[in-house]
Amino acid sequence: MNERIMNPEKDLALIKKGALELIGQDELLEKLNAYYRTGKPLTIKLGLDPSAPDIHLGHTVVLRKIRQFQTLGHKALLIIGDFTGRIGDPTGKNKLRKQLTEKEVLENADTYKKQLLKILDPEKTTICFNSEWLDNISLKDMIEFMSKQSLLRMLERDSFKKRMESQEAIFLHELLYPMLQGLDSLETEADVEIGGMDQKFNILMGRDMQAKEGMDKQAALFMPIIEGLDGQMKMSKSLGNYVGIDEAPEVMFEKIMTIPDDLIEKYFLLLTDLTTVEIQDLVDGMENGDLHPKAVKMKLAETIVGQYHPLEDALKAKERFVRVMSQGQVPKELPNLTVDPNASILEVMLKAGFSTSKSEARRLVQQKGVKINGKIVESIDLDEFHKGDILQVGKKKFVELSS
C-alpha cells in the first residue's frame, strides 16, 4: 500500500490538476477512501489506438496523468486496441476509418510499449490487447449487450450526425466501436478511465455498461487536447506540428522554442511536473515584464527535453540553441565539414566552398560577413576551431565543423 499520509481529498486535487472534466467525482473519492482502508490500488484504464506507432507530446498529456495516479499508489492498465483497431474508431471522423491488418497493429504496438515506459512506472503498468477477451465473445453475448443500448443514443455522437447530414455512409460495424470499448471496462473492472474530450462518448459508454451490469461505475477523467507547434491545430504527426518523445534533444528543444507565447502556460501545466504555484509565478513574471517570454520558453524546453533524455543532453541542447539558434536563422539540418583544428579561417572558408579564393575570403572577413557560433570573426588570423562550431558566411551559408 502507498506509504503516503492518508489524504484522499489532496489526492483528488492532484488528479484534477489540468483536467477539463471529472465525471463521477464523489464515486472516485469513495474509491480513494477505500484504497486507504484496504490497500487495494485502483485500476486506471487507458485505451490506445494502434493506428500510429510513435508517441508525441500530445499523447503524453493523458500518460502523465496516469503517472500521477501511479505516484499515489495506483496501477495503470493500458489496453492496446488490436481488436477494435480492425474497426477503427469513428470519433471525429467524417469518413470510414481504414481497418488495420493484424501485422500493422502488432508492429505499432511493439513501438508503443518501448515509448510508454519512458513515462510510466514499469512496476505499476500492465499492457494488454483487447483481443484477449473480445476474440472470444459469443454472438449470443454480443446480442445481449446490444439489447441494452439504443440506436438513437449511438447516433447522438457528433461524427455520426455530421455524416448523416452530408449523406456519408455509416456502416453497422462502426456502431459497435463504443460498445467494444465499454466491454474493455467490463472485462478489466476499471475504476477510472482517462482520455481526451474527443473520447467522451466512448468512455461514458463504458461507465453506462458497467452500471447496467451491476458493477461499480468507472470515473471518467477528461484531459485537454493540446495544440501543436502551430498553436491552432491538435498536435499530430500527419500535420507536422508535433514533438516526438524519441526525437533528438536538440530537435525537441528547437521545436518547443517555436510555440506561440500564449501556449507556454498550457505546456507547463500539461507537459511538466511544475506546481501550479511555480507556473503562476512564471506567468506573472511574463505579464509584469520581469521575465521575457523567450527565457520562460527556454526553461520549458529544457524541462520537457530533460524528461525524455538525460539532463546533460537537455543542457547541451539549450547551450546549442543559445550559442547558435538565437543568433540568427540557422537551418535545423546543417552539413558537416571536417577540418584541421589549427587551419586558418581563410582555409576553412575555402574548404567549405564559401569562397573561391583566399583573397575573397579575406574580403568577406574584413566586411564582417563571417561568423563563428553567431559571433563576428574580427581577424583573418583566427586559427583555432572546436568540434560543433558553426561557421556562417553571409545570411544563408552555414556549416558545422568537426575535427
Side-chain angles (χ1 to χ4, degrees), residues 31 49 189 217 400:
K31 291 174 184 282
D49 176 3
E189 299 183 2
K217 293 183 290 185
E400 183 171 352

Side-chain angles (χ1 to χ4, degrees), residues 49 51-52 87-99 154 157-171 173-174 177 198-199 202 233-239:
D49 176 3
S51 63
I87 294 177
D89 184 1
T91 298
K93 301 298 177 183
N94 295 329
K95 294 183 179 179
L96 173 68
R97 282 281 294 265
K98 174 189 173 183
Q99 293 174 251
M154 290 294 184
R157 63 186 310 163
D158 289 341
S159 54
F160 287 158
K161 282 183 181 178
K162 291 175 182 176
R163 282 160 68 175
M164 289 176 68
E165 290 169 359
S166 61
Q167 297 187 331
E168 291 277 354
I170 300 173
F171 293 88
H173 75 288
E174 294 182 275
Y177 189 96
D198 59 337
Q199 286 293 310
N202 294 339
M233 303 297 291
K234 172 183 175 181
M235 187 176 285
S236 165
K237 192 168 185 181
S238 62
L239 295 176

Side-chain angles (χ1 to χ4, degrees), residues 13 80 125 342 376:
I80 295 176
T125 302
N342 299 121
I376 294 174

Side-chain angles (χ1 to χ4, degrees), residues 25 38 49 74 77 79 101 115 170 193 204 219 272 293-294 320 335 355 359 376 397:
Q25 176 170 312
T38 67
D49 176 3
H74 306 295
L77 179 62
I79 301 175
T101 66
Q115 296 179 359
I170 300 173
E193 183 166 5
L204 292 182
T272 78
K294 184 176 180 180
R320 175 185 170 85
S355 63
S359 59
I376 294 174
K397 296 178 180 179

Side-chain angles (χ1 to χ4, degrees), residues 171-403:
F171 293 88
L172 291 178
H173 75 288
E174 294 182 275
L175 299 175
L176 291 176
Y177 189 96
M179 292 191 61
L180 294 175
Q181 186 167 326
L183 286 171
D184 291 347
S185 294
L186 290 182
E187 175 68 27
T188 60
E189 299 183 2
D191 293 299
V192 180
E193 183 166 5
I194 298 181
M197 289 298 288
D198 59 337
Q199 286 293 310
K200 189 170 185 177
F201 187 93
N202 294 339
I203 292 174
L204 292 182
M205 177 63 70
R207 180 175 162 84
D208 179 65
M209 290 178 70
Q210 285 177 325
K212 288 177 178 176
E213 295 301 314
M215 298 171 57
D216 289 339
K217 293 183 290 185
Q218 64 184 21
L221 185 65
F222 300 103
M223 299 301 296
I225 295 171
I226 202 161
E227 294 85 359
L229 304 177
D230 55 7
Q232 298 178 356
M233 303 297 291
K234 172 183 175 181
M235 187 176 285
S236 165
K237 192 168 185 181
S238 62
L239 295 176
N241 64 352
Y242 72 101
V243 181
I245 68 169
D246 261 1
E247 291 189 283
E250 61 271 18
V251 174
M252 291 183 70
F253 197 100
E254 291 166 17
K255 282 187 173 184
I256 294 167
M257 290 299 296
T258 68
I259 68 169
D261 291 351
D262 58 9
L263 276 183
I264 293 175
E265 181 179 3
K266 189 173 185 179
Y267 270 47
F268 266 118
L269 180 65
L270 298 176
L271 302 177
T272 78
D273 291 326
L274 267 68
T275 67
T276 52
V277 173
E278 291 172 322
I279 295 169
Q280 191 58 52
D281 285 344
L282 293 171
V283 172
D284 291 343
M286 287 189 291
E287 290 179 349
N288 62 30
D290 289 342
L291 295 173
H292 193 286
K294 184 176 180 180
V296 178
K297 205 181 295 184
M298 289 181 68
K299 178 177 177 62
L300 173 67
E302 179 186 335
T303 302
I304 292 176
V305 174
Q307 291 171 172
Y308 303 104
H309 295 282
L311 181 58
E312 179 184 358
D313 291 345
L315 293 174
K316 285 181 179 178
K318 179 181 179 180
E319 180 185 346
R320 175 185 170 85
F321 184 87
V322 172
R323 189 182 75 227
V324 181
M325 300 300 292
S326 63
Q327 300 297 328
Q329 297 300 312
V330 181
K332 291 182 179 179
E333 297 296 331
L334 294 177
N336 187 274
L337 178 69
T338 301
V339 298
D340 184 330
N342 299 121
S344 72
I345 183 65
L346 304 183
E347 291 170 335
V348 172
M349 290 170 64
L350 274 173
K351 187 171 183 180
F354 291 169
S355 63
T356 57
S357 65
K358 285 190 176 182
S359 59
E360 181 187 7
R362 183 180 293 105
R363 185 169 62 253
L364 287 168
V365 171
Q366 291 170 344
Q367 293 173 347
K368 303 193 182 302
V370 181
K371 296 180 180 179
I372 293 290
N373 300 332
K375 295 183 179 180
I376 294 174
V377 175
E378 300 287 353
S379 170
I380 62 172
D381 295 328
L382 178 66
D383 61 358
E384 183 179 353
F385 301 96
H386 304 90
K387 182 178 180 181
D389 282 348
I390 305 299
L391 169 65
Q392 176 185 353
V393 176
K395 293 183 178 180
K396 297 183 178 179
K397 296 178 180 179
F398 297 87
V399 69
E400 183 171 352
L401 304 180
S402 60
S403 55

